[in-house]
Amino acid sequence: MYDDDRERVGHDATDFAYYGLPNPKPRSSQRRDTHLPESNPLVGHDAVIGYRSVGLSTEDLISFIESFASLRASRVKSVGHSQYALVQGQKFEAFTTSDTIRELIEELADASNYIDFLAIKLLNIQHTIDLALPDCD
């Protein structure tokens, strides 16, 4: 099925440049999740950089929210389109209430797993910091 974003919405996929972001390049690895960028496209956003240095302004926070919305939209256009788009309409439109609840529970389980993964990574980062900087509180 041909899907021309430029024709339909005036640009190709997510308009990262509109939000001052680099367009993420697909991973070059052989992993199956090739739809993911090599690095997060939001890592260079002014709000992220400002948070690490001088703090973020209201404008940067608003821009980040808009950029994150753009990233979510790009996921609907790519992965979501291949998984949920029908010839006419979207798969979720045919979901019963039970289907919707089951899908949400599965998404919550996935999100919870990612939180566990992040906890493990953060605890390992903390361990590395404690080894490198033992008396730095």
Side-chain angles (χ1 to χ4, degrees):
M1 176 179 185
Y2 177 72
D3 183 27
D4 185 358
D5 285 332
R6 180 168 298 288
E7 184 177 307
R8 189 167 40 83
V9 293
H11 56 78
D12 292 322
T14 301
D15 192 356
F16 289 94
Y18 177 80
Y19 295 112
L21 299 171
N23 193 358
K25 295 176 179 63
R27 289 180 191 227
S28 56
S29 67
Q30 298 300 317
R31 295 179 60 173
R32 291 183 49 186
D33 58 346
T34 57
H35 64 278
L36 296 173
E38 186 63 44
S39 71
N40 191 313
L42 297 174
V43 75
H45 192 281
D46 287 343
V48 175
I49 293 167
Y51 176 81
R52 291 191 307 250
S53 59
V54 297
L56 45 133
S57 67
T58 299
E59 293 78 16
D60 287 346
L61 179 58
I62 290 167
S63 175
F64 183 85
I65 292 167
E66 291 170 339
S67 297
F68 198 70
S70 181
L71 183 61
R72 291 192 326 264
S74 75
R75 304 242 338 124
V76 170
K77 292 175 188 174
S78 59
V79 177
H81 177 75
S82 64
Q83 291 179 348
Y84 298 107
L86 303 173
V87 173
Q88 184 173 2
Q90 298 290 314
K91 187 176 176 182
F92 78 87
E93 294 176 275
F95 284 1
T96 65
T97 302
S98 293
D99 293 335
T100 303
I101 290 170
R102 185 188 68 248
E103 290 284 330
L104 181 55
I105 294 297
E106 290 173 1
E107 292 298 328
L108 289 171
D110 289 345
S112 179
N113 287 336
Y114 278 109
I115 289 169
D116 293 340
F117 303 157
L118 290 172
I120 291 167
K121 285 186 163 283
L122 286 172
L123 290 167
N124 276 286
I125 290 169
Q126 182 65 57
H127 175 73
T128 302
I129 290 169
D130 290 345
L131 288 176
L133 306 168
D135 297 320
C136 190
D137 284 325

